[in-house]
């Protein structure tokens, strides 16, 4: 069954995929893409009657993103992107996305270390991938 929350989560993933394209082409994620998404994520919770859950998701996204940022694992654009997407996902789905994001990061870093010519692993594809997996798991897993 399609609901408003699924639609908004899919919208967040589409915006995350747009951020992947921007980061791939220009090397950064523009503020005009991420900053408007942050309040929209929490406002989307108002439409569902779950603004608290979306607010918790936003806070979790900011905290996790800043932890990764201060450890040198991502840039500021990826932090804002994850915060914005987390606002759309809500608290429980954000926790799922964090777990998936950590797993994808470990796999990506392992592949990076095995290569003779290391690659720079940008944050936006990992964030978009983790968001997709979290949404599919949340809404479509038995």
């Amino acid at each position: 069954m399609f609901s408003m929350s699924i639609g908004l989560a899919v919208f967040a993933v589409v915006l995350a995929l747009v951020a992947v394209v921007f980061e791939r082409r220009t090397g950064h994620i523009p503020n005009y893409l991420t900053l408007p998404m942050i309040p929209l994520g929490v406002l989307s919770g108002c439409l569902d009657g779950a603004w608290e859950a979306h607010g918790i998701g936003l806070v979790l996204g900011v905290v996790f993103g800043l932890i990764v940022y201060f450890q040198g694992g991502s840039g500021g654009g990826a932090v804002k992107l994850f915060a914005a997407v987390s606002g759309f996902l809500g608290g429980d789905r954000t926790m799922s996305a964090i777990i998936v994001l950590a797993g994808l990061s470990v796999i990506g870093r392992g592949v990076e270390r095995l290569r003779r010519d290391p690659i720079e692993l940008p944050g936006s594809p990992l964030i978009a991938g983790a968001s997709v997996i979290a949404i599919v798991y949340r809404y479509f897993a038995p």
Side-chain angles (χ1 to χ4, degrees), residues 12-90:
V13 169
V14 168
L15 289 176
L17 294 173
V18 170
V20 171
V21 172
F22 270 101
E23 187 172 26
R24 181 76 176 141
R25 289 186 179 174
T26 66
H28 72 281
I29 302 169
N31 285 338
Y32 63 81
L33 182 65
T34 56
L35 292 179
M37 286 175 56
I38 292 173
L40 286 176
V42 178
L43 289 175
S44 72
C46 294
L47 295 175
D48 275 349
W51 66 270
E52 298 96 348
H54 290 263
I56 290 169
L58 174 64
V59 169
L60 287 172
V62 169
V63 168
F64 179 76
L66 287 175
I67 289 169
V68 173
Y69 174 78
F70 285 123
Q71 291 182 349
S74 72
V79 172
K80 290 179 279 192
L81 177 64
F82 192 64
V85 169
S86 297
F88 279 95
L89 293 176

Side-chain angles (χ1 to χ4, degrees), residues 5 9 48 50 52-58 60-61 82 85-100 130-131 133-135 137-139:
S5 60
D48 275 349
E52 298 96 348
H54 290 263
I56 290 169
L58 174 64
L60 287 172
F82 192 64
V85 169
S86 297
F88 279 95
L89 293 176
D92 57 341
R93 288 168 277 167
T94 296
M95 287 306 298
S96 299
I98 288 171
I99 292 166
V100 170
S131 302
I133 292 169
I135 289 169
Y137 177 74
R138 170 74 165 104
Y139 290 112

